Amino acid sequence: MNEDFVISVRDLYVNFWISGTGVNSFKDAVMLFGRQRALQKKQVLKGLNLDIKKGECFALMGKNGSGKSTLLRTLAGIITPEKGSIQIRGTVAPLLAIGAGLEHELSGYDNIRIMGTLIGLRGKELKESVQTIKNFSELSHDDLSMQIKRYSAGMMARLAFSISVCRIPDILIVDEALSVGDQGFQEKCAHRINEMKAAGTTIIYVSHSLTELKRICTRGACLENGRIAKIGPIDEVGMFYEQSFQ
Amino acid sequence: MLFYKIKNLYQLVYTIALKNIKVKYKNSVLGYMWSLLHPLAYLIIFIFVFSQAFANIERYPLYALVGLIFWTYFNNSMNQIINSIINNASIIKTIALPNILFPLSAAFAELVTMLLSLIPFFSLMLFFGLQITWHTALVVPAIFVYAIFTIGIGTLMGTFNVFFRDIGILWNTLSPALFYFTPIAYLSNLIPEKYQAFVQANPLYHYMTLFRDILFYNQMPSSRTIIITCLMAFVTFTVGLFMFNRYKKGFVSNL
């Protein structure tokens, strides 16, 4: 692996294993046990190659269903690839769906501790992060003591985002997560991403908004049907992506 | 490296288990008391209904209570473990974690609840005529073996429940039947001789025998019971984990 690259993907294949629905699939699985697989295979990523340099801000584009989210999840270690290799240097913080995993019956503080543990914070680091998250989210002590089911959508997003970005990772993966919160908070998010960028974090950014991608990223790729159709400077890839709709 | 992995998994299991316990009783006034009231309600019914019918069983309330405590644990654990993967879909799809964490923490939460309930239940058992002998200490390894069995069978069913939600529904349908099929409120010799093979085929029958020998008859369980219960725990645990590992790659695309 080249020293400059933090992510190297070679010949990556990812399959979905899908169980059919309804009586028939269950019956088939039982009746044909051993003769036919109960799960149907669907290839989502088909031999993908990708290198991302350290400190780079990389844009990922593509139509719905082209495999962007699957690629992000595979890079984050959530999906195990069928074939091929992925080499990743450093810690990965995925920002895939804002608010996922928050427990609505519990307080903001409880959720910070739970989500913090899940994303890998322990002991002293976890304790310190509570204050960081409190400051960043601008939620008051009263807000955080309250069960989060009483939060507004914006407050929920503030809490979730603040937990996800409370420490600076080596690689940040963002899946259209920033269109939440009020304008002030959106600016704050953009500012935090710039901070991370300055600190040397590599960012992979998925969005359908070309202006947003152009503002943040320098290089990008466009996915089509599980393969990379175009990779290069952001302007070229952006043009390619726009043309694919004409 | 392995030590770090295990420590990490333990911390995750502990956190999620604690969350499960908190959430379970968050909005109820009696909270944790419910885990005691549930078996107690059944115990009262059993005493009303069956104490005449089983007048030949000395200390019938103790007999029924032992069965009820360990049935309730099994039933609650199964309900939680089978759905543990589906219930945590949003976490599984967004954070890279060892997914075995979810069945384990569901099992851990139920185990802690059961162990806590044993404190008041032991007093109640003493009231109903439990004798404490050195055999009583055997309840600790017995609970351990039983917990392993529960985790194994729960994880196995939980894995398949991701792909075929029928499994969860099937369990909900069958668990009341299993409750009556297991000798909890009655003596197993109540079932005619010719059906004894069916009784023996029920794993819970052997675990009930194990706990009754220890807590009701104050005797060393027979070596047959010990071997069967340990073997079942080992086999279900191994098969459960094996199937989980084999099919976990399909979780994200089916949640």
Side-chain angles (χ1 to χ4, degrees):
Chain A
M1 186 170 171
N2 190 308
E3 282 296 313
D4 298 336
F5 294 132
V6 281
I7 294 178
S8 266
V9 174
R10 288 283 165 275
D11 207 24
L12 181 74
Y13 285 84
V14 170
N15 295 338
F16 273 6
W17 295 91
I18 296 164
S19 61
T21 46
V23 179
N24 282 329
S25 69
F26 192 63
K27 190 193 73 188
D28 288 351
V30 177
M31 304 288 274
L32 301 170
F33 197 68
R35 279 186 286 156
Q36 190 190 308
R37 283 185 172 277
L39 303 178
Q40 302 297 315
K41 186 169 88 171
K42 183 178 183 292
Q43 224 171 38
V44 183
L45 298 182
K46 305 159 184 170
L48 200 132
N49 292 296
L50 185 64
D51 289 304
I52 295 174
K53 287 193 203 100
K54 183 168 168 33
E56 193 172 33
C57 204
F58 192 87
L60 210 52
M61 288 165 253
K63 293 178 184 168
N64 297 133
S66 57
K68 300 183 300 290
S69 294
T70 304
L71 176 60
L72 294 189
R73 288 201 173 121
T74 312
L75 292 177
I78 296 163
I79 297 178
T80 328
E82 197 67 23
K83 234 169 59 182
S85 74
I86 301 179
Q87 283 182 296
I88 287 179
R89 291 196 174 175
T91 53
V92 181
L95 252 176
L96 296 181
I98 274 292
L102 290 180
E103 182 51 66
H104 291 221
E105 293 296 330
L106 298 181
S107 72
Y109 284 124
D110 282 336
N111 272 292
I112 291 175
R113 278 186 287 269
I114 293 166
M115 292 306 291
T117 311
L118 291 185
I119 62 173
L121 301 174
R122 295 288 183 274
K124 198 174 152 219
E125 212 182 354
L126 183 60
K127 270 196 198 117
E128 286 169 357
S129 71
V130 176
Q131 196 54 43
T132 320
I133 291 165
K134 194 175 161 188
N135 292 343
F136 189 79
S137 65
E138 294 169 15
L139 294 169
S140 67
H141 175 72
D142 285 346
D143 289 338
L144 288 172
S145 310
M146 191 162 64
Q147 277 173 301
I148 65 165
K149 65 180 172 188
R150 301 184 216 285
Y151 281 22
S152 71
M155 286 163 76
M156 197 89 87
R158 276 170 180 262
L159 178 67
F161 186 81
S162 309
I163 295 171
S164 303
V165 299
C166 71
R167 65 172 173 182
I168 294 182
D170 297 323
I171 301 162
L172 179 74
I173 294 180
V174 187
D175 192 356
E176 293 199 89
L178 297 189
S179 44
V180 291
D182 52 30
Q183 203 189 343
F185 191 67
Q186 282 195 22
E187 278 165 15
K188 205 166 174 179
C189 294
H191 180 71
R192 179 69 176 167
I193 287 190
N194 282 331
E195 247 176 50
M196 289 188 176
K197 220 168 131 177
T201 298
T202 309
I203 298 169
I204 304 175
Y205 203 100
V206 166
S207 178
H208 287 287
S209 149
L210 213 51
T211 13
E212 199 177 302
L213 288 175
K214 279 181 179 167
R215 186 167 53 84
I216 302 174
C217 305
T218 44
R219 209 163 70 95
C222 184
L223 288 188
E224 250 177 37
N225 206 6
R227 291 188 186 89
I228 286 183
K230 176 94 182 165
I231 185 163
I234 183 75
D235 292 325
E236 282 177 31
V237 180
M239 200 132 55
F240 177 87
Y241 177 62
E242 278 184 326
Q243 276 166 2
S244 70
F245 289 103
Q246 282 161 11
Chain B
M1 191 64 201
L2 183 70
F3 171 77
Y4 175 76
K5 267 189 175 174
I6 290 172
K7 190 179 160 208
N8 184 41
L9 185 63
Y10 170 76
Q11 277 167 328
L12 290 169
V13 167
Y14 176 81
T15 307
I16 297 288
L18 196 68
K19 179 190 94 169
N20 290 351
I21 294 174
K22 270 189 186 169
V23 171
K24 194 170 171 187
Y25 300 118
K26 189 78 188 176
N27 289 322
S28 66
V29 180
L30 292 178
Y32 157 74
M33 293 296 284
W34 282 114
S35 58
L36 306 177
L37 290 174
H38 182 82
L40 279 180
Y42 272 87
L43 181 68
I44 291 166
I45 295 167
F46 282 178
I47 293 173
F48 273 134
V49 179
F50 294 123
S51 57
Q52 278 304 310
F54 300 114
N56 57 334
I57 310 179
E58 250 184 89
R59 299 177 294 162
Y60 176 74
L62 177 63
Y63 181 90
L65 181 59
V66 172
L68 275 171
I69 292 171
F70 293 104
W71 162 263
T72 307
Y73 164 68
F74 181 75
N75 191 30
N76 290 349
S77 301
M78 288 298 279
N79 289 339
Q80 296 302 321
I81 302 173
I82 288 179
N83 292 308
S84 61
I85 301 161
I86 297 173
N87 288 346
N88 288 294
S90 65
I91 299 180
I92 291 175
K93 288 168 90 167
T94 47
I95 305 174
L97 290 165
N99 288 333
I100 191 71
L101 145 75
F102 300 103
L104 285 184
S105 48
F108 189 64
E110 290 304 323
L111 187 66
V112 170
T113 310
M114 190 266 274
L115 290 176
L116 285 176
S117 78
L118 276 185
I119 301 165
F121 279 141
F122 252 105
S123 344
L124 197 60
M125 281 193 246
L126 285 170
F127 176 74
F128 286 141
L130 168 82
Q131 284 149 15
I132 297 200
T133 63
W134 68 269
H135 287 115
T136 315
L138 289 174
V139 76
V140 176
I143 287 175
F144 178 76
V145 173
Y146 191 43
I148 296 286
F149 168 77
T150 309
I151 294 171
I153 196 120
T155 306
L156 182 68
M157 290 173 75
T159 303
F160 289 120
N161 197 28
V162 175
F163 305 104
F164 305 103
R165 304 290 157 103
D166 311 54
I167 301 290
I169 302 166
L170 187 75
W171 164 253
N172 287 338
T173 315
L174 287 185
S175 82
L178 186 63
F179 175 71
Y180 288 107
F181 184 54
T182 308
I184 293 164
Y186 57 88
L187 283 173
S188 60
N189 59 17
L190 194 74
I191 296 173
E193 190 65 36
K194 56 180 173 181
Y195 299 127
Q196 280 296 322
F198 289 109
V199 175
Q200 299 268 330
N202 174 8
L204 288 185
Y205 164 81
H206 300 280
Y207 288 102
M208 289 301 153
T209 310
L210 183 73
F211 285 113
R212 292 248 166 73
D213 278 341
I214 295 168
L215 294 172
F216 185 74
Y217 297 108
N218 288 310
Q219 63 187 19
M220 186 75 192
S222 69
S223 40
R224 182 169 176 271
T225 304
I226 294 175
I227 291 169
I228 291 177
T229 49
C230 289
L231 203 65
M232 279 193 306
F234 177 75
V235 170
T236 49
F237 189 74
T238 314
V239 173
L241 285 195
F242 176 78
M243 287 300 186
F244 183 90
N245 275 323
R246 193 185 149 115
Y247 288 108
K248 67 180 176 189
K249 65 179 177 183
F251 285 172
V252 173
S253 41
N254 284 284
L255 284 171

